Amino acid sequence: PLERIQPNPAQPRQTFSQKELDSLSQSIRENGLLQPILVRHRNNGYELIAGERRIRAARMAGLRKVPAIVRFIKNDAALPMTIIENVQRQNLSIFDEAAVFKKIIERSIITRAQLAAKIGISEEGILAKIQALALPEEAKKIINRYNLSEWHAVAVLRINERERQVALLRVAGENRLSPEKTRELVDSIKNEDMNLPGVPTRKQVVKNEKIYINTIKNTISMMNKAGVGARTSEKEDENFIRFTVEIKK
């Protein structure tokens, strides 16, 4: 019974296509659920190990019961089994996979080498996916939109400025650049051998930061005019702009 199946708290897949769910739901209405889900006993019921998308579509189709395979699975094996099933079915985005890979390794459930052997991905590939999590959200959306790989992510992460990371990934996606070509492009930009439309230079990025600092200075000026004693100090070096605000009690 669906009502006795608890969701998997470690479900790796965070996004589900509504179009795919609608299509699968319609198929289930017509043909039933042909592939059983995988569950384990949990708290007088069952916990889902694999089959989140099928469960959702079955509920949409109005089913109350679904075929299931019940296995005895220890806690330390449940999470790897869930991710392995999803990876093998190619249901996860780079970032869904990466989040679970990171969780598995941080919890010391299995080593990176063991995980790589189980899912058929190199250790370097697992590390690259985890590193991709450091990208800003806009960059992640571009990677998903253009179906870029974790190696594209690693290439642009060699540049610190987020604006440039986003712009470079957009260029890579729009021009269908391979990871190797993207890395070459990053090297050229990093060494300032070339500039591309839409890719801000380091000077442009700093200029944008100056805008924010001027906004702070204007705010301090308004505070002083209103009778609030405030002063600022600013220091700048090659890597940082340090801005200090002091307000009298």
Side-chain angles (χ1 to χ4, degrees), residues 102-119:
K102 184 179 180 181
K103 186 183 295 185
I104 289 174
I105 294 169
E106 286 179 346
R107 291 183 181 179
S108 300
I109 296 174
I110 57 177
T111 66
R112 195 167 72 197
Q114 291 172 328
L115 179 61
K118 285 180 178 291
I119 62 178

Side-chain angles (χ1 to χ4, degrees), residues 138 159-171 185-186 188-190 192 194-209:
E138 188 176 354
I159 288 182
N160 293 327
E161 293 86 358
R162 294 193 166 196
E163 289 181 44
R164 302 175 83 189
Q165 292 171 355
V166 170
L168 283 163
L169 284 170
R170 186 175 288 113
V171 170
L185 178 62
V186 169
S188 297
I189 298 295
K190 192 174 181 181
E192 298 185 354
M194 63 181 294
N195 294 323
L196 289 177
V199 181
T201 64
R202 180 172 178 79
K203 290 181 180 179
Q204 289 172 322
V205 173
V206 173
K207 182 178 179 181
N208 290 339
E209 293 169 353

